[in-house]
Amino acid sequence: MNIRKFQVGLATGTFVVAGISGVAHAANNNAYFPSSQAFGTVMFEDQFPCEADYDFNDLVLEYNATVTTDSSSGDIRYLVWNTRIVAVGGRINNGFGVELPYTNSQILSVSGATWENNGASEKVVLRMFENAHAEYGADGSLNTMAERDEMAPVERAVVVTFNSNVSSLGTPPYNPFAFRSDSRAHEIHLAGESSTVNGIDFDGVCDVDTDYKTLAGLPFGIHISAQFGWPIENARLDIAYPELVAWASSGGLSNTNWNDAPAAGQTLASSLADMCTLGSSSYSYTATGISVQSSDSTAATNAAIAAQIAIDFAGHPQGTPVIMDWRDIEAMTASELAIFMTTSPTTAFVTKDGDIDLYAGRPYFIRRIEGYTNSGASIHDAVWLDLNDPTSVSDYSGGSVSFPDTTGKRGIWLGSWKGARPALVAW
Amino acid sequence: MRFFYVWSGCFVFLIGCDQQPPACASPDGCGQPLPACTDLNCSKWPVGFDWQTHREVALSLAVSDSNGGRLPGTRVEVYAAYDPSLGGTQLLFSGQTNNSGVLELNHRVPKSRSVVWVKVLDGRADPWFTVSVAEGNDVAVAEVLR
């Protein structure tokens, strides 16, 4: 019997999953962009192909990406991309996508985004959302006016799983782009980038010269490998960041920290994004199982774990794992959840360690796991829900949680800490 | 004589301006100082300026023992910065060397950054090393002796 260990919650925790047969994989290497606990920023001017107010707040996104490669071969195994929309200025409806430097034939699967597969030899294009306003459920300028209430960021977690023998290429954010929700081909890219196979060429149209620059060389999109306060409505980027012009005029040699020096009152930043801050975490995969160490298990961590599990358990007798966002799970009724999570609504799949009979015959769903010790001696707080009784929510403060066998088990919930959003892996 | 005027006119035209392409997309093209400009409407920047604050670097890090033998499977972390009280900050990479004892990594660093910090997790003392990623060193090759 193989023992697979999940450590979710505190770094010393253990979440034991036993009895699942699997194939040993080599250890993984993880590269984090811009770093493990930070977000980069991509922002666009959506009047493209014509110049506009240059406040670059028409669509502002933050991203954090993890590229996992096989430590021996260097081949890429998966990409976990977390995006959150933090501001939408103006009224034009825009979507967001990324072109990867890989061909469609090199991809095994994509979750959390629409995969535009335009042929085996074409580059991968992922549409992460179609309409930023729709994602917020609101119109007009969102989070670009200081006098208006701030709206919480809208998040997306995307996991790309690669086929074997694919060398890692490039670095995130690769070729990100905005596009008009009512005109997919109308793409806006960073300066120097090219449109995707589904975009159209605007060179020479209105104010565009070539390569998504104006005749004067100005960009329509900006990428900063850090969180970045975006200009308020109608505040041009050079007004919001007075050192920008000196930086650009020097060819990027002087005033290199221009993005850290905003003018007073000219920019906004997301205070609500703090609730989504990524935690320090790492995980590894060995012949004895997956080991996840996290002081703050968050969407990124969970997505990474989910991707690992998807790889590991592809072809598992119980079927292909399904990765779902916690919000989608919460939207289910208890009976829907029970059916989803169990092969039979009356079959237990989560029990206390060494005490399986106590809950046998009743499906339980762990809602929160906040910490463990390696010895399994204590759990800081685990709350689970009896799916047969949605009003029954219990706190659990001792022992560890285990899956003694796979009988009837259809799901592993990956815990969160401090309100970050978890993902769910289910069979 | 007419032939002479035509050719001499062309010669004057050719030497009148710097024959090299202007370093900047300046409208005069002849290197005349431009008036001070502080906004995007009048400022100029080098032709081909990419508006990127970061650049890609390829890091190749070999970990070797005192005899020069490479150490495969050595756990390594790479950080953007180091704080004496906190250790490494801004984790860029965690993983291990390959079967040849080498770690290959592509990453982005701020254009102003000159080093990244490497931590070798082999349980020995003094695990911290710096690797130069200064401008012009976009392929950074380094060896760590343990």
Side-chain angles (χ1 to χ4, degrees):
Chain A
M1 173 187 293
N2 287 340
I3 305 294
R4 299 184 180 279
K5 291 187 175 180
F6 292 75
Q7 294 183 331
V8 180
L10 297 182
T12 54
T14 301
F15 182 16
V16 180
V17 181
I20 303 173
S21 60
V23 179
H25 289 271
N28 289 328
N29 288 347
N30 292 318
Y32 308 99
F33 298 89
S35 65
S36 66
Q37 300 179 64
F39 283 85
T41 306
V42 179
M43 46 211 295
F44 297 98
E45 265 294 304
D46 69 359
Q47 293 294 321
F48 176 86
C50 300
E51 291 187 27
D53 54 6
Y54 271 101
D55 55 15
F56 282 93
N57 66 15
D58 297 327
L59 182 59
V60 185
L61 305 110
E62 295 179 342
Y63 74 92
N64 173 277
T66 302
V67 175
T68 298
T69 54
D70 183 295
S71 65
S72 296
S73 66
D75 293 342
I76 188 168
R77 299 190 68 191
Y78 52 87
L79 162 70
V80 177
W81 180 296
N82 288 278
T83 290
R84 57 194 191 197
I85 312 168
V86 291
V88 183
R91 284 175 285 191
I92 295 175
N93 292 327
N94 293 298
F96 176 71
V98 174
E99 181 189 61
L100 306 182
Y102 302 96
T103 62
N104 291 303
S105 64
Q106 295 175 312
I107 304 298
L108 179 63
S109 66
V110 174
S111 68
T114 301
W115 176 10
E116 292 184 352
N117 190 335
N118 301 293
S121 61
E122 295 288 349
K123 287 182 179 178
V124 175
V125 178
L126 306 177
R127 294 201 315 271
M128 297 194 180
F129 57 86
E130 308 296 327
N131 180 343
H133 281 118
E135 296 292 329
Y136 271 106
D139 292 322
S141 295
L142 310 175
N143 292 343
T144 58
M145 297 180 175
E147 63 273 21
R148 292 190 183 175
D149 290 342
E150 182 180 356
M151 301 181 74
V154 177
E155 297 180 300
R156 280 287 179 275
V158 177
V159 178
V160 180
T161 306
F162 290 81
N163 287 318
S164 302
N165 304 315
V166 177
S167 298
S168 182
L169 299 171
T171 56
Y174 305 117
N175 182 7
F177 63 95
F179 61 92
R180 293 275 175 92
S181 300
D182 60 359
S183 177
R184 166 64 189 84
H186 190 128
E187 299 178 352
I188 311 169
H189 291 256
L190 302 180
E193 296 288 357
S194 300
S195 58
T196 73
V197 67
N198 288 329
I200 55 176
D201 185 359
F202 282 91
D203 288 359
V205 178
C206 198
D207 297 318
V208 176
D209 184 11
T210 58
D211 298 333
Y212 292 93
K213 291 182 184 177
T214 68
L215 295 168
L218 287 167
F220 290 90
I222 292 278
H223 164 236
I224 305 291
S225 289
Q227 280 182 282
F228 180 79
W230 56 90
I232 59 175
E233 209 61 67
N234 300 318
R236 263 187 1 215
L237 189 63
D238 54 324
I239 301 299
Y241 288 89
E243 295 185 31
L244 172 74
V245 169
W247 171 72
S249 299
S250 73
L253 298 178
S254 71
N255 303 81
T256 52
N257 294 321
W258 65 270
N259 50 300
D260 292 329
Q266 297 295 310
T267 63
L268 290 170
S270 177
S271 60
L272 299 178
D274 291 344
M275 63 185 289
C276 311
T277 300
L278 297 178
S280 61
S281 62
S282 63
Y283 60 94
S284 60
Y285 190 86
T286 66
T288 56
I290 302 171
S291 175
V292 180
Q293 296 183 331
S294 173
S295 62
D296 191 352
S297 181
T298 64
T301 305
N302 289 320
I305 299 167
Q308 180 66 72
I309 291 173
I311 294 169
D312 184 38
F313 295 111
H316 190 276
Q318 292 194 48
T320 302
V322 176
I323 301 169
M324 293 190 67
D325 190 283
W326 171 246
R327 289 163 289 189
D328 297 328
I329 295 297
E330 285 195 315
M332 292 183 180
T333 65
S335 59
E336 287 172 337
L337 188 57
I339 293 170
F340 176 76
M341 292 295 295
T342 63
T343 53
S344 165
T346 58
T347 302
F349 75 99
V350 175
T351 73
K352 286 172 61 178
D353 185 26
D355 200 5
I356 181 172
D357 293 335
L358 183 62
Y359 303 107
R362 304 184 69 180
Y364 282 84
F365 183 68
I366 301 174
R367 298 196 66 188
R368 181 171 290 254
I369 305 169
E370 294 188 337
Y372 301 90
T373 65
N374 264 335
S375 65
S378 67
I379 292 177
H380 296 168
D381 184 21
V383 180
W384 68 85
L385 173 67
D386 179 344
L387 298 180
N388 286 334
D389 179 6
T391 63
S392 171
V393 179
S394 303
D395 286 320
Y396 179 54
S397 301
S400 61
V401 177
S402 69
F403 300 97
D405 59 55
T406 60
T407 304
K409 180 184 71 63
R410 292 206 64 212
I412 302 170
W413 181 76
L414 303 168
S416 74
W417 178 248
K418 297 178 182 176
R421 294 187 176 92
L424 174 78
V425 179
W427 283 268
Chain B
M1 196 62 176
R2 184 179 180 188
F3 177 81
F4 172 78
Y5 285 135
V6 169
W7 277 104
S8 61
C10 290
F11 181 73
V12 169
F13 174 79
L14 287 172
I15 65 172
C17 286
D18 185 351
Q19 294 178 38
Q20 299 299 315
C24 295
S26 101
D28 61 273
C30 296
Q32 295 301 312
L34 294 168
C37 169
T38 57
D39 71 47
L40 289 174
N41 289 330
C42 60
S43 59
K44 305 299 171 188
W45 34 87
V47 173
F49 179 53
D50 60 6
W51 297 90
Q52 291 281 338
T53 57
H54 288 60
R55 58 190 170 80
E56 289 198 16
V57 295
L59 175 66
S60 178
L61 179 71
V63 181
S64 306
D65 62 22
S66 56
N67 298 319
R70 295 289 168 81
L71 298 172
T74 304
R75 298 289 301 174
V76 174
E77 293 176 342
V78 180
Y79 293 85
Y82 176 82
D83 183 304
S85 61
L86 299 175
T89 59
Q90 302 176 51
L91 178 65
L92 304 178
F93 172 87
S94 80
Q96 63 186 51
T97 56
N98 63 18
N99 294 336
S100 301
V102 177
L103 171 68
E104 305 279 0
L105 169 66
N106 292 322
H107 217 289
R108 285 175 183 254
V109 298
K111 289 183 174 178
S112 56
R113 179 162 296 148
S114 58
V115 298
V116 294
W117 292 80
V118 175
K119 184 179 185 182
V120 180
L121 294 93
D122 58 1
R124 301 186 189 183
D126 302 324
W128 289 99
F129 301 85
T130 57
V131 175
S132 172
V133 292
E135 187 82 37
N137 197 21
D138 292 346
V139 179
V141 179
E143 183 173 16
V144 170
L145 295 177
R146 303 299 289 164

